Tab-separated table of all heavy atoms in Angstrom:
chain	number	residue	atom	x	y	z
Z	1	MET	N	-151.499	-18.627	-124.730
Z	1	MET	CA	-152.876	-18.936	-124.394
Z	1	MET	C	-152.957	-20.102	-123.398
Z	1	MET	O	-153.799	-20.094	-122.513
Z	1	MET	CB	-153.654	-19.255	-125.658
Z	1	MET	CG	-155.076	-19.641	-125.437
Z	1	MET	SD	-155.906	-19.857	-127.017
Z	1	MET	CE	-157.541	-20.197	-126.489
Z	2	PHE	N	-152.119	-21.100	-123.550
Z	2	PHE	CA	-152.211	-22.286	-122.691
Z	2	PHE	C	-151.090	-22.337	-121.661
Z	2	PHE	O	-150.748	-23.397	-121.166
Z	2	PHE	CB	-152.196	-23.559	-123.538
Z	2	PHE	CG	-153.323	-23.618	-124.537
Z	2	PHE	CD1	-153.066	-23.645	-125.892
Z	2	PHE	CD2	-154.635	-23.628	-124.101
Z	2	PHE	CE1	-154.097	-23.691	-126.802
Z	2	PHE	CE2	-155.679	-23.674	-125.008
Z	2	PHE	CZ	-155.413	-23.706	-126.362
Z	3	ASP	N	-150.537	-21.196	-121.311
Z	3	ASP	CA	-149.431	-21.188	-120.365
Z	3	ASP	C	-149.874	-20.892	-118.930
Z	3	ASP	O	-149.058	-20.814	-118.036
Z	3	ASP	CB	-148.344	-20.212	-120.801
Z	3	ASP	CG	-148.853	-18.785	-120.936
Z	3	ASP	OD1	-150.083	-18.579	-120.922
Z	3	ASP	OD2	-148.015	-17.872	-121.062
Z	4	GLU	N	-151.169	-20.754	-118.699
Z	4	GLU	CA	-151.683	-20.515	-117.361
Z	4	GLU	C	-152.290	-21.795	-116.799
Z	4	GLU	O	-152.795	-22.632	-117.527
Z	4	GLU	CB	-152.736	-19.415	-117.389
Z	4	GLU	CG	-152.181	-18.068	-117.790
Z	4	GLU	CD	-153.240	-16.981	-117.768
Z	4	GLU	OE1	-154.260	-17.148	-117.076
Z	4	GLU	OE2	-153.032	-15.979	-118.456
Z	5	CYS	N	-152.244	-21.925	-115.490
Z	5	CYS	CA	-152.834	-23.096	-114.831
Z	5	CYS	C	-154.352	-23.042	-114.908
Z	5	CYS	O	-154.940	-21.965	-114.864
Z	5	CYS	CB	-152.406	-23.139	-113.361
Z	5	CYS	SG	-150.659	-23.480	-113.141
Z	6	ILE	N	-154.954	-24.198	-115.020
Z	6	ILE	CA	-156.413	-24.272	-115.015
Z	6	ILE	C	-156.916	-24.155	-113.571
Z	6	ILE	O	-156.169	-24.401	-112.633
Z	6	ILE	CB	-156.919	-25.595	-115.630
Z	6	ILE	CG1	-156.409	-26.792	-114.824
Z	6	ILE	CG2	-156.562	-25.696	-117.091
Z	6	ILE	CD1	-157.098	-28.085	-115.148
Z	7	ASN	N	-158.165	-23.806	-113.422
Z	7	ASN	CA	-158.795	-23.779	-112.108
Z	7	ASN	C	-159.472	-25.130	-111.907
Z	7	ASN	O	-160.456	-25.430	-112.579
Z	7	ASN	CB	-159.817	-22.648	-112.032
Z	7	ASN	CG	-160.476	-22.558	-110.676
Z	7	ASN	OD1	-160.367	-23.452	-109.843
Z	7	ASN	ND2	-161.167	-21.458	-110.457
Z	8	PRO	N	-158.974	-25.980	-111.008
Z	8	PRO	CA	-159.553	-27.310	-110.843
Z	8	PRO	C	-161.022	-27.279	-110.424
Z	8	PRO	O	-161.781	-28.182	-110.742
Z	8	PRO	CB	-158.699	-27.970	-109.767
Z	8	PRO	CG	-157.634	-27.020	-109.428
Z	8	PRO	CD	-157.843	-25.751	-110.143
Z	9	ALA	N	-161.441	-26.230	-109.730
Z	9	ALA	CA	-162.832	-26.134	-109.281
Z	9	ALA	C	-163.799	-25.930	-110.441
Z	9	ALA	O	-164.992	-26.159	-110.301
Z	9	ALA	CB	-162.979	-25.002	-108.271
Z	10	GLU	N	-163.298	-25.529	-111.595
Z	10	GLU	CA	-164.150	-25.304	-112.763
Z	10	GLU	C	-164.204	-26.523	-113.686
Z	10	GLU	O	-164.855	-26.492	-114.717
Z	10	GLU	CB	-163.653	-24.093	-113.548
Z	10	GLU	CG	-163.773	-22.791	-112.785
Z	10	GLU	CD	-163.181	-21.617	-113.529
Z	10	GLU	OE1	-162.578	-21.821	-114.614
Z	10	GLU	OE2	-163.315	-20.492	-113.027
Z	11	GLN	N	-163.526	-27.614	-113.330
Z	11	GLN	CA	-163.469	-28.806	-114.165
Z	11	GLN	C	-164.495	-29.832	-113.701
Z	11	GLN	O	-165.120	-29.681	-112.663
Z	11	GLN	CB	-162.056	-29.392	-114.139
Z	11	GLN	CG	-160.956	-28.399	-114.442
Z	11	GLN	CD	-161.207	-27.531	-115.665
Z	11	GLN	OE1	-161.563	-28.026	-116.728
Z	11	GLN	NE2	-161.035	-26.231	-115.521
Z	12	THR	N	-164.651	-30.883	-114.479
Z	12	THR	CA	-165.599	-31.949	-114.156
Z	12	THR	C	-164.923	-32.984	-113.265
Z	12	THR	O	-163.874	-33.514	-113.616
Z	12	THR	CB	-166.114	-32.623	-115.443
Z	12	THR	OG1	-166.720	-31.622	-116.262
Z	12	THR	CG2	-167.121	-33.708	-115.129
Z	13	LEU	N	-165.543	-33.275	-112.142
Z	13	LEU	CA	-165.031	-34.257	-111.197
Z	13	LEU	C	-165.699	-35.599	-111.470
Z	13	LEU	O	-166.911	-35.666	-111.644
Z	13	LEU	CB	-165.328	-33.810	-109.760
Z	13	LEU	CG	-164.806	-34.694	-108.649
Z	13	LEU	CD1	-163.280	-34.634	-108.612
Z	13	LEU	CD2	-165.391	-34.259	-107.335
Z	14	ILE	N	-164.906	-36.658	-111.515
Z	14	ILE	CA	-165.418	-38.007	-111.762
Z	14	ILE	C	-164.993	-38.895	-110.603
Z	14	ILE	O	-163.805	-38.987	-110.285
Z	14	ILE	CB	-164.850	-38.582	-113.079
Z	14	ILE	CG1	-165.156	-37.672	-114.255
Z	14	ILE	CG2	-165.389	-39.983	-113.323
Z	14	ILE	CD1	-164.379	-38.002	-115.508
Z	15	LEU	N	-165.947	-39.552	-109.968
Z	15	LEU	CA	-165.632	-40.493	-108.893
Z	15	LEU	C	-165.773	-41.907	-109.426
Z	15	LEU	O	-166.762	-42.224	-110.087
Z	15	LEU	CB	-166.569	-40.278	-107.699
Z	15	LEU	CG	-166.497	-38.893	-107.053
Z	15	LEU	CD1	-167.557	-38.754	-105.985
Z	15	LEU	CD2	-165.121	-38.625	-106.492
Z	16	GLY	N	-164.789	-42.757	-109.161
Z	16	GLY	CA	-164.808	-44.121	-109.668
Z	16	GLY	C	-164.765	-45.148	-108.557
Z	16	GLY	O	-164.278	-44.882	-107.455
Z	17	SER	N	-165.281	-46.331	-108.863
Z	17	SER	CA	-165.332	-47.405	-107.878
Z	17	SER	C	-164.981	-48.729	-108.543
Z	17	SER	O	-165.573	-49.104	-109.539
Z	17	SER	CB	-166.737	-47.494	-107.279
Z	17	SER	OG	-166.828	-48.577	-106.395
Z	18	SER	N	-164.033	-49.438	-107.950
Z	18	SER	CA	-163.684	-50.756	-108.480
Z	18	SER	C	-164.485	-51.863	-107.801
Z	18	SER	O	-164.553	-52.978	-108.301
Z	18	SER	CB	-162.181	-51.023	-108.324
Z	18	SER	OG	-161.822	-51.013	-106.962
Z	19	ASN	N	-165.112	-51.540	-106.649
Z	19	ASN	CA	-165.869	-52.560	-105.926
Z	19	ASN	C	-167.388	-52.314	-105.957
Z	19	ASN	O	-168.145	-53.060	-105.359
Z	19	ASN	CB	-165.385	-52.670	-104.479
Z	19	ASN	CG	-165.613	-51.398	-103.686
Z	19	ASN	OD1	-166.350	-50.498	-104.077
Z	19	ASN	ND2	-164.963	-51.305	-102.538
Z	20	ARG	N	-167.801	-51.244	-106.603
Z	20	ARG	CA	-169.217	-50.864	-106.746
Z	20	ARG	C	-169.897	-50.542	-105.418
Z	20	ARG	O	-171.118	-50.562	-105.329
Z	20	ARG	CB	-170.006	-51.940	-107.500
Z	20	ARG	CG	-169.528	-52.125	-108.906
Z	20	ARG	CD	-170.366	-53.124	-109.632
Z	20	ARG	NE	-169.853	-53.268	-110.993
Z	20	ARG	CZ	-170.532	-53.787	-111.962
Z	20	ARG	NH1	-171.749	-54.243	-111.752
Z	20	ARG	NH2	-170.007	-53.877	-113.159
Z	21	ARG	N	-169.097	-50.260	-104.406
Z	21	ARG	CA	-169.660	-49.897	-103.097
Z	21	ARG	C	-169.122	-48.559	-102.606
Z	21	ARG	O	-169.850	-47.785	-102.005
Z	21	ARG	CB	-169.367	-50.984	-102.064
Z	21	ARG	CG	-170.115	-52.275	-102.308
Z	21	ARG	CD	-169.940	-53.250	-101.156
Z	21	ARG	NE	-168.542	-53.515	-100.859
Z	21	ARG	CZ	-167.842	-54.536	-101.349
Z	21	ARG	NH1	-168.409	-55.394	-102.159
Z	21	ARG	NH2	-166.580	-54.703	-101.020
Z	22	THR	N	-167.835	-48.325	-102.804
Z	22	THR	CA	-167.202	-47.093	-102.344
Z	22	THR	C	-166.333	-46.518	-103.458
Z	22	THR	O	-165.873	-47.243	-104.341
Z	22	THR	CB	-166.323	-47.349	-101.109
Z	22	THR	OG1	-165.355	-48.357	-101.430
Z	22	THR	CG2	-167.152	-47.785	-99.911
Z	23	PHE	N	-166.107	-45.228	-103.386
Z	23	PHE	CA	-165.254	-44.565	-104.378
Z	23	PHE	C	-163.795	-44.761	-103.991
Z	23	PHE	O	-163.400	-44.450	-102.871
Z	23	PHE	CB	-165.581	-43.072	-104.448
Z	23	PHE	CG	-166.997	-42.792	-104.846
Z	23	PHE	CD1	-167.867	-42.177	-103.962
Z	23	PHE	CD2	-167.466	-43.137	-106.098
Z	23	PHE	CE1	-169.177	-41.917	-104.319
Z	23	PHE	CE2	-168.777	-42.888	-106.469
Z	23	PHE	CZ	-169.635	-42.272	-105.578
Z	24	ASP	N	-162.990	-45.282	-104.924
Z	24	ASP	CA	-161.570	-45.491	-104.627
Z	24	ASP	C	-160.655	-44.784	-105.621
Z	24	ASP	O	-159.448	-44.959	-105.594
Z	24	ASP	CB	-161.227	-46.975	-104.534
Z	24	ASP	CG	-161.518	-47.745	-105.807
Z	24	ASP	OD1	-161.939	-47.134	-106.806
Z	24	ASP	OD2	-161.330	-48.965	-105.792
Z	25	ARG	N	-161.243	-43.976	-106.486
Z	25	ARG	CA	-160.436	-43.152	-107.386
Z	25	ARG	C	-161.195	-41.864	-107.686
Z	25	ARG	O	-162.429	-41.828	-107.676
Z	25	ARG	CB	-160.047	-43.898	-108.650
Z	25	ARG	CG	-161.181	-44.431	-109.461
Z	25	ARG	CD	-160.648	-45.301	-110.614
Z	25	ARG	NE	-161.740	-45.821	-111.393
Z	25	ARG	CZ	-162.349	-46.975	-111.193
Z	25	ARG	NH1	-161.952	-47.751	-110.206
Z	25	ARG	NH2	-163.334	-47.350	-111.951
Z	26	ILE	N	-160.430	-40.825	-107.924
Z	26	ILE	CA	-160.978	-39.505	-108.212
Z	26	ILE	C	-160.381	-39.048	-109.532
Z	26	ILE	O	-159.166	-39.082	-109.723
Z	26	ILE	CB	-160.627	-38.507	-107.098
Z	26	ILE	CG1	-161.207	-38.986	-105.769
Z	26	ILE	CG2	-161.130	-37.117	-107.450
Z	26	ILE	CD1	-160.775	-38.171	-104.578
Z	27	GLY	N	-161.246	-38.642	-110.436
Z	27	GLY	CA	-160.792	-38.187	-111.742
Z	27	GLY	C	-161.164	-36.743	-111.983
Z	27	GLY	O	-162.098	-36.203	-111.396
Z	28	LEU	N	-160.414	-36.128	-112.865
Z	28	LEU	CA	-160.667	-34.764	-113.286
Z	28	LEU	C	-160.700	-34.758	-114.804
Z	28	LEU	O	-159.756	-35.246	-115.448
Z	28	LEU	CB	-159.538	-33.858	-112.772
Z	28	LEU	CG	-159.818	-32.386	-112.647
Z	28	LEU	CD1	-160.926	-32.142	-111.638
Z	28	LEU	CD2	-158.567	-31.663	-112.211
Z	29	LEU	N	-161.770	-34.268	-115.377
Z	29	LEU	CA	-161.915	-34.184	-116.830
Z	29	LEU	C	-161.792	-32.723	-117.224
Z	29	LEU	O	-162.553	-31.877	-116.740
Z	29	LEU	CB	-163.266	-34.749	-117.261
Z	29	LEU	CG	-163.542	-34.788	-118.750
Z	29	LEU	CD1	-162.549	-35.688	-119.464
Z	29	LEU	CD2	-164.954	-35.276	-119.010
Z	30	VAL	N	-160.827	-32.438	-118.081
Z	30	VAL	CA	-160.564	-31.070	-118.525
Z	30	VAL	C	-160.932	-30.979	-119.998
Z	30	VAL	O	-160.424	-31.740	-120.828
Z	30	VAL	CB	-159.075	-30.701	-118.311
Z	30	VAL	CG1	-158.815	-29.279	-118.746
Z	30	VAL	CG2	-158.684	-30.908	-116.859
Z	31	ALA	N	-161.815	-30.059	-120.310
Z	31	ALA	CA	-162.314	-29.907	-121.680
Z	31	ALA	C	-161.256	-29.321	-122.610
Z	31	ALA	O	-160.317	-28.654	-122.163
Z	31	ALA	CB	-163.542	-28.997	-121.674
Z	32	PRO	N	-161.405	-29.567	-123.918
Z	32	PRO	CA	-160.503	-28.936	-124.890
Z	32	PRO	C	-160.539	-27.414	-124.713
Z	32	PRO	O	-161.559	-26.853	-124.317
Z	32	PRO	CB	-161.088	-29.327	-126.244
Z	32	PRO	CG	-161.897	-30.544	-125.985
Z	32	PRO	CD	-162.401	-30.399	-124.581
Z	33	TYR	N	-159.444	-26.767	-125.024
Z	33	TYR	CA	-159.236	-25.325	-124.903
Z	33	TYR	C	-158.984	-24.883	-123.466
Z	33	TYR	O	-158.567	-23.776	-123.249
Z	33	TYR	CB	-160.392	-24.500	-125.488
Z	33	TYR	CG	-160.430	-24.470	-126.984
Z	33	TYR	CD1	-161.595	-24.759	-127.657
Z	33	TYR	CD2	-159.305	-24.144	-127.735
Z	33	TYR	CE1	-161.659	-24.739	-129.031
Z	33	TYR	CE2	-159.345	-24.122	-129.117
Z	33	TYR	CZ	-160.532	-24.415	-129.759
Z	33	TYR	OH	-160.576	-24.386	-131.127
Z	34	GLU	N	-159.263	-25.713	-122.475
Z	34	GLU	CA	-158.981	-25.328	-121.099
Z	34	GLU	C	-157.483	-25.426	-120.811
Z	34	GLU	O	-156.937	-24.592	-120.116
Z	34	GLU	CB	-159.742	-26.222	-120.115
Z	34	GLU	CG	-161.218	-25.982	-120.084
Z	34	GLU	CD	-161.588	-24.658	-119.440
Z	34	GLU	OE1	-160.982	-24.281	-118.429
Z	34	GLU	OE2	-162.493	-23.997	-119.978
Z	35	ALA	N	-156.842	-26.486	-121.304
Z	35	ALA	CA	-155.426	-26.691	-121.024
Z	35	ALA	C	-154.591	-26.891	-122.283
Z	35	ALA	O	-153.380	-26.987	-122.214
Z	35	ALA	CB	-155.249	-27.899	-120.114
Z	36	GLY	N	-155.248	-26.981	-123.432
Z	36	GLY	CA	-154.526	-27.201	-124.678
Z	36	GLY	C	-155.445	-27.018	-125.870
Z	36	GLY	O	-156.636	-26.753	-125.710
Z	37	PRO	N	-154.917	-27.166	-127.073
Z	37	PRO	CA	-155.720	-26.963	-128.266
Z	37	PRO	C	-156.821	-28.019	-128.428
Z	37	PRO	O	-156.707	-29.139	-127.932
Z	37	PRO	CB	-154.709	-27.048	-129.399
Z	37	PRO	CG	-153.533	-27.744	-128.844
Z	37	PRO	CD	-153.537	-27.515	-127.374
Z	38	TYR	N	-157.854	-27.643	-129.141
Z	38	TYR	CA	-158.992	-28.526	-129.381
Z	38	TYR	C	-158.553	-29.833	-130.038
Z	38	TYR	O	-159.081	-30.899	-129.733
Z	38	TYR	CB	-160.027	-27.817	-130.261
Z	38	TYR	CG	-161.276	-28.629	-130.488
Z	38	TYR	CD1	-162.280	-28.644	-129.539
Z	38	TYR	CD2	-161.434	-29.394	-131.646
Z	38	TYR	CE1	-163.428	-29.403	-129.727
Z	38	TYR	CE2	-162.579	-30.150	-131.846
Z	38	TYR	CZ	-163.569	-30.145	-130.883
Z	38	TYR	OH	-164.696	-30.889	-131.070
Z	39	ALA	N	-157.553	-29.770	-130.901
Z	39	ALA	CA	-157.080	-30.956	-131.628
Z	39	ALA	C	-156.547	-32.035	-130.680
Z	39	ALA	O	-156.555	-33.218	-131.017
Z	39	ALA	CB	-155.992	-30.572	-132.625
Z	40	GLU	N	-156.104	-31.661	-129.501
Z	40	GLU	CA	-155.615	-32.641	-128.525
Z	40	GLU	C	-156.752	-33.310	-127.775
Z	40	GLU	O	-156.553	-34.307	-127.102
Z	40	GLU	CB	-154.654	-31.978	-127.535
Z	40	GLU	CG	-153.332	-31.603	-128.162
Z	40	GLU	CD	-152.348	-31.059	-127.152
Z	40	GLU	OE1	-152.631	-31.071	-125.934
Z	40	GLU	OE2	-151.277	-30.614	-127.589
Z	41	GLY	N	-157.948	-32.751	-127.849
Z	41	GLY	CA	-159.106	-33.342	-127.187
Z	41	GLY	C	-159.131	-33.048	-125.697
Z	41	GLY	O	-158.444	-32.158	-125.206
Z	42	SER	N	-159.925	-33.828	-124.992
Z	42	SER	CA	-160.067	-33.667	-123.545
Z	42	SER	C	-158.864	-34.272	-122.833
Z	42	SER	O	-158.184	-35.143	-123.358
Z	42	SER	CB	-161.325	-34.381	-123.052
Z	42	SER	OG	-162.452	-33.843	-123.661
Z	43	TYR	N	-158.651	-33.824	-121.629
Z	43	TYR	CA	-157.610	-34.375	-120.770
Z	43	TYR	C	-158.289	-35.026	-119.585
Z	43	TYR	O	-159.223	-34.468	-119.012
Z	43	TYR	CB	-156.661	-33.278	-120.270
Z	43	TYR	CG	-155.968	-32.536	-121.375
Z	43	TYR	CD1	-156.548	-31.404	-121.932
Z	43	TYR	CD2	-154.754	-32.968	-121.867
Z	43	TYR	CE1	-155.913	-30.714	-122.956
Z	43	TYR	CE2	-154.112	-32.289	-122.884
Z	43	TYR	CZ	-154.708	-31.149	-123.436
Z	43	TYR	OH	-154.079	-30.481	-124.436
Z	44	GLU	N	-157.851	-36.205	-119.210
Z	44	GLU	CA	-158.407	-36.894	-118.053
Z	44	GLU	C	-157.273	-37.346	-117.154
Z	44	GLU	O	-156.316	-37.968	-117.605
Z	44	GLU	CB	-159.230	-38.104	-118.488
Z	44	GLU	CG	-159.938	-38.773	-117.339
Z	44	GLU	CD	-160.834	-39.912	-117.779
Z	44	GLU	OE1	-161.274	-39.927	-118.932
Z	44	GLU	OE2	-161.076	-40.801	-116.945
Z	45	VAL	N	-157.405	-37.008	-115.886
Z	45	VAL	CA	-156.419	-37.394	-114.878
Z	45	VAL	C	-157.160	-38.186	-113.812
Z	45	VAL	O	-158.173	-37.727	-113.291
Z	45	VAL	CB	-155.747	-36.161	-114.247
Z	45	VAL	CG1	-154.780	-36.576	-113.155
Z	45	VAL	CG2	-155.062	-35.321	-115.297
Z	46	THR	N	-156.700	-39.381	-113.513
Z	46	THR	CA	-157.325	-40.207	-112.487
Z	46	THR	C	-156.294	-40.533	-111.417
Z	46	THR	O	-155.192	-40.984	-111.724
Z	46	THR	CB	-157.874	-41.517	-113.099
Z	46	THR	OG1	-158.786	-41.187	-114.144
Z	46	THR	CG2	-158.589	-42.347	-112.052
Z	47	LEU	N	-156.680	-40.295	-110.172
Z	47	LEU	CA	-155.789	-40.538	-109.047
Z	47	LEU	C	-156.452	-41.499	-108.066
Z	47	LEU	O	-157.668	-41.423	-107.849
Z	47	LEU	CB	-155.480	-39.220	-108.323
Z	47	LEU	CG	-154.862	-38.129	-109.192
Z	47	LEU	CD1	-154.845	-36.813	-108.440
Z	47	LEU	CD2	-153.463	-38.531	-109.603
Z	48	PRO	N	-155.668	-42.376	-107.457
Z	48	PRO	CA	-156.249	-43.299	-106.475
Z	48	PRO	C	-156.553	-42.569	-105.167
Z	48	PRO	O	-155.903	-41.581	-104.824
Z	48	PRO	CB	-155.143	-44.332	-106.264
Z	48	PRO	CG	-153.884	-43.583	-106.546
Z	48	PRO	CD	-154.234	-42.597	-107.641
Z	49	VAL	N	-157.543	-43.048	-104.454
Z	49	VAL	CA	-157.809	-42.540	-103.113
Z	49	VAL	C	-156.784	-43.199	-102.190
Z	49	VAL	O	-156.708	-44.422	-102.105
Z	49	VAL	CB	-159.253	-42.862	-102.658
Z	49	VAL	CG1	-159.446	-42.494	-101.195
Z	49	VAL	CG2	-160.259	-42.133	-103.527
Z	50	THR	N	-155.980	-42.387	-101.554
Z	50	THR	CA	-154.963	-42.865	-100.602
Z	50	THR	C	-155.428	-42.518	-99.178
Z	50	THR	O	-156.421	-41.825	-98.987
Z	50	THR	CB	-153.615	-42.190	-100.876
Z	50	THR	OG1	-153.770	-40.781	-100.653
Z	50	THR	CG2	-153.141	-42.438	-102.307
Z	51	ARG	N	-154.686	-42.972	-98.207
Z	51	ARG	CA	-155.021	-42.636	-96.816
Z	51	ARG	C	-154.991	-41.116	-96.603
Z	51	ARG	O	-155.806	-40.570	-95.862
Z	51	ARG	CB	-154.067	-43.335	-95.859
Z	51	ARG	CG	-154.252	-44.839	-95.854
Z	51	ARG	CD	-153.426	-45.493	-94.741
Z	51	ARG	NE	-153.340	-46.930	-94.915
Z	51	ARG	CZ	-154.329	-47.787	-94.710
Z	51	ARG	NH1	-155.500	-47.342	-94.355
Z	51	ARG	NH2	-154.146	-49.083	-94.890
Z	52	THR	N	-154.054	-40.452	-97.259
Z	52	THR	CA	-153.958	-38.998	-97.142
Z	52	THR	C	-155.186	-38.322	-97.741
Z	52	THR	O	-155.736	-37.389	-97.153
Z	52	THR	CB	-152.673	-38.493	-97.829
Z	52	THR	OG1	-151.543	-39.154	-97.241
Z	52	THR	CG2	-152.516	-36.999	-97.695
Z	53	VAL	N	-155.620	-38.788	-98.909
Z	53	VAL	CA	-156.827	-38.236	-99.535
Z	53	VAL	C	-158.036	-38.507	-98.653
Z	53	VAL	O	-158.864	-37.628	-98.415
Z	53	VAL	CB	-157.037	-38.825	-100.951
Z	53	VAL	CG1	-158.388	-38.429	-101.521
Z	53	VAL	CG2	-155.918	-38.399	-101.883
Z	54	LEU	N	-158.142	-39.726	-98.147
Z	54	LEU	CA	-159.269	-40.100	-97.299
Z	54	LEU	C	-159.345	-39.222	-96.046
Z	54	LEU	O	-160.428	-38.833	-95.609
Z	54	LEU	CB	-159.160	-41.571	-96.909
Z	54	LEU	CG	-160.382	-42.215	-96.285
Z	54	LEU	CD1	-161.601	-42.092	-97.166
Z	54	LEU	CD2	-160.102	-43.670	-95.983
Z	55	ALA	N	-158.208	-38.865	-95.494
Z	55	ALA	CA	-158.171	-38.000	-94.313
Z	55	ALA	C	-158.687	-36.591	-94.629
Z	55	ALA	O	-159.171	-35.893	-93.741
Z	55	ALA	CB	-156.757	-37.930	-93.753
Z	56	ALA	N	-158.607	-36.183	-95.890
Z	56	ALA	CA	-159.063	-34.852	-96.298
Z	56	ALA	C	-160.561	-34.800	-96.589
Z	56	ALA	O	-161.136	-33.718	-96.690
Z	56	ALA	CB	-158.290	-34.394	-97.529
Z	57	VAL	N	-161.201	-35.957	-96.708
Z	57	VAL	CA	-162.639	-36.019	-96.978
Z	57	VAL	C	-163.392	-35.658	-95.704
Z	57	VAL	O	-163.026	-36.098	-94.608
Z	57	VAL	CB	-163.039	-37.428	-97.477
Z	57	VAL	CG1	-164.546	-37.554	-97.629
Z	57	VAL	CG2	-162.341	-37.747	-98.786
Z	58	LYS	N	-164.450	-34.861	-95.840
Z	58	LYS	CA	-165.255	-34.494	-94.674
Z	58	LYS	C	-165.768	-35.756	-93.987
Z	58	LYS	O	-166.165	-36.709	-94.660
Z	58	LYS	CB	-166.435	-33.618	-95.093
Z	58	LYS	CG	-166.027	-32.236	-95.514
Z	58	LYS	CD	-167.251	-31.393	-95.811
Z	58	LYS	CE	-166.831	-29.988	-96.177
Z	58	LYS	NZ	-167.996	-29.121	-96.378
Z	59	PRO	N	-165.766	-35.767	-92.664
Z	59	PRO	CA	-166.169	-36.969	-91.920
Z	59	PRO	C	-167.529	-37.534	-92.327
Z	59	PRO	O	-167.688	-38.754	-92.396
Z	59	PRO	CB	-166.188	-36.492	-90.467
Z	59	PRO	CG	-165.205	-35.375	-90.431
Z	59	PRO	CD	-165.327	-34.694	-91.769
Z	60	GLN	N	-168.491	-36.687	-92.632
Z	60	GLN	CA	-169.822	-37.197	-92.982
Z	60	GLN	C	-169.856	-37.920	-94.328
Z	60	GLN	O	-170.805	-38.644	-94.607
Z	60	GLN	CB	-170.886	-36.082	-92.927
Z	60	GLN	CG	-170.705	-34.981	-93.941
Z	60	GLN	CD	-169.978	-33.762	-93.397
Z	60	GLN	OE1	-169.077	-33.883	-92.583
Z	60	GLN	NE2	-170.351	-32.588	-93.863
Z	61	PHE	N	-168.820	-37.756	-95.157
Z	61	PHE	CA	-168.769	-38.427	-96.461
Z	61	PHE	C	-167.731	-39.548	-96.505
Z	61	PHE	O	-167.634	-40.273	-97.487
Z	61	PHE	CB	-168.466	-37.419	-97.573
Z	61	PHE	CG	-169.462	-36.308	-97.663
Z	61	PHE	CD1	-169.084	-34.995	-97.435
Z	61	PHE	CD2	-170.787	-36.564	-97.964
Z	61	PHE	CE1	-170.001	-33.960	-97.505
Z	61	PHE	CE2	-171.716	-35.542	-98.042
Z	61	PHE	CZ	-171.321	-34.244	-97.805
Z	62	ARG	N	-166.920	-39.679	-95.471
Z	62	ARG	CA	-165.796	-40.618	-95.472
Z	62	ARG	C	-166.217	-42.062	-95.720
Z	62	ARG	O	-165.509	-42.817	-96.371
Z	62	ARG	CB	-165.045	-40.499	-94.157
Z	62	ARG	CG	-163.551	-40.592	-94.347
Z	62	ARG	CD	-162.793	-40.240	-93.102
Z	62	ARG	NE	-162.455	-38.826	-93.147
Z	62	ARG	CZ	-162.235	-38.080	-92.094
Z	62	ARG	NH1	-162.311	-38.600	-90.890
Z	62	ARG	NH2	-161.939	-36.814	-92.223
Z	63	SER	N	-167.375	-42.468	-95.248
Z	63	SER	CA	-167.811	-43.860	-95.428
Z	63	SER	C	-168.107	-44.201	-96.893
Z	63	SER	O	-168.181	-45.360	-97.249
Z	63	SER	CB	-169.036	-44.157	-94.569
Z	63	SER	OG	-170.133	-43.370	-94.989
Z	64	ALA	N	-168.247	-43.189	-97.739
Z	64	ALA	CA	-168.499	-43.412	-99.159
Z	64	ALA	C	-167.203	-43.668	-99.942
Z	64	ALA	O	-167.247	-44.011	-101.120
Z	64	ALA	CB	-169.231	-42.229	-99.775
Z	65	PHE	N	-166.062	-43.542	-99.283
Z	65	PHE	CA	-164.753	-43.697	-99.925
Z	65	PHE	C	-163.973	-44.836	-99.287
Z	65	PHE	O	-164.206	-45.209	-98.145
Z	65	PHE	CB	-163.938	-42.399	-99.796
Z	65	PHE	CG	-164.491	-41.269	-100.599
Z	65	PHE	CD1	-165.527	-40.495	-100.104
Z	65	PHE	CD2	-163.985	-40.969	-101.851
Z	65	PHE	CE1	-166.043	-39.440	-100.842
Z	65	PHE	CE2	-164.495	-39.917	-102.601
Z	65	PHE	CZ	-165.534	-39.164	-102.087
Z	66	SER	N	-163.024	-45.378	-100.045
Z	66	SER	CA	-162.097	-46.382	-99.524
Z	66	SER	C	-160.761	-46.201	-100.209
Z	66	SER	O	-160.674	-45.633	-101.294
Z	66	SER	CB	-162.632	-47.799	-99.769
Z	66	SER	OG	-162.754	-48.062	-101.147
Z	67	VAL	N	-159.717	-46.690	-99.560
Z	67	VAL	CA	-158.362	-46.611	-100.125
Z	67	VAL	C	-158.279	-47.571	-101.300
Z	67	VAL	O	-158.746	-48.714	-101.232
Z	67	VAL	CB	-157.311	-46.946	-99.049
Z	67	VAL	CG1	-155.920	-47.006	-99.649
Z	67	VAL	CG2	-157.368	-45.919	-97.928
Z	68	ALA	N	-157.711	-47.096	-102.396
Z	68	ALA	CA	-157.583	-47.901	-103.607
Z	68	ALA	C	-156.724	-49.136	-103.348
Z	68	ALA	O	-155.751	-49.066	-102.602
Z	68	ALA	CB	-156.996	-47.084	-104.736
Z	69	PRO	N	-157.089	-50.260	-103.962
Z	69	PRO	CA	-156.297	-51.491	-103.777
Z	69	PRO	C	-154.918	-51.390	-104.408
Z	69	PRO	O	-154.642	-50.645	-105.259
Z	69	PRO	CB	-157.117	-52.563	-104.466
Z	69	PRO	CG	-158.169	-51.898	-105.249
Z	69	PRO	CD	-158.209	-50.460	-104.818
C-alpha cells in the first residue's frame, strides 16, 4: 500500500519566512495514509530556498523569495 511515490502536487505546500519579509523555506505537508500508516502521523519536509530554487521561481514572483541564511 505504501510502496508507491506520492504525488507532490496533491500535498499541502507551506512557505516559511525567517525575516517576515520574504519566503526562504518551502515545506511539504503529507497527510497520514498518503505515505505511511495513520499511526505515524503526518510527514513534514522543509527545504531551504537556494539559488537554484530561486532560479526556478517565475520572474513575477521572485521578489517574494530570498535565499535562506
Side-chain angles (χ1 to χ4, degrees):
M1 178 175 183
F2 301 117
D3 59 348
E4 295 182 22
C5 292
I6 61 167
N7 181 347
E10 295 176 355
Q11 309 312 312
T12 302
L13 183 68
I14 304 167
L15 299 174
S17 176
S18 62
N19 63 14
R20 297 183 180 198
R21 291 188 305 266
T22 56
F23 299 115
D24 60 3
R25 57 187 180 269
I26 300 173
L28 202 62
L29 183 62
V30 181
Y33 286 130
E34 289 289 319
Y38 184 82
E40 289 185 6
S42 299
Y43 301 89
E44 186 176 336
V45 177
T46 303
L47 303 169
V49 172
T50 63
R51 292 188 193 287
T52 303
V53 171
L54 193 56
V57 174
K58 289 184 178 184
Q60 65 264 36
F61 302 117
R62 219 170 267 155
S63 64
F65 291 83
S66 62
V67 174

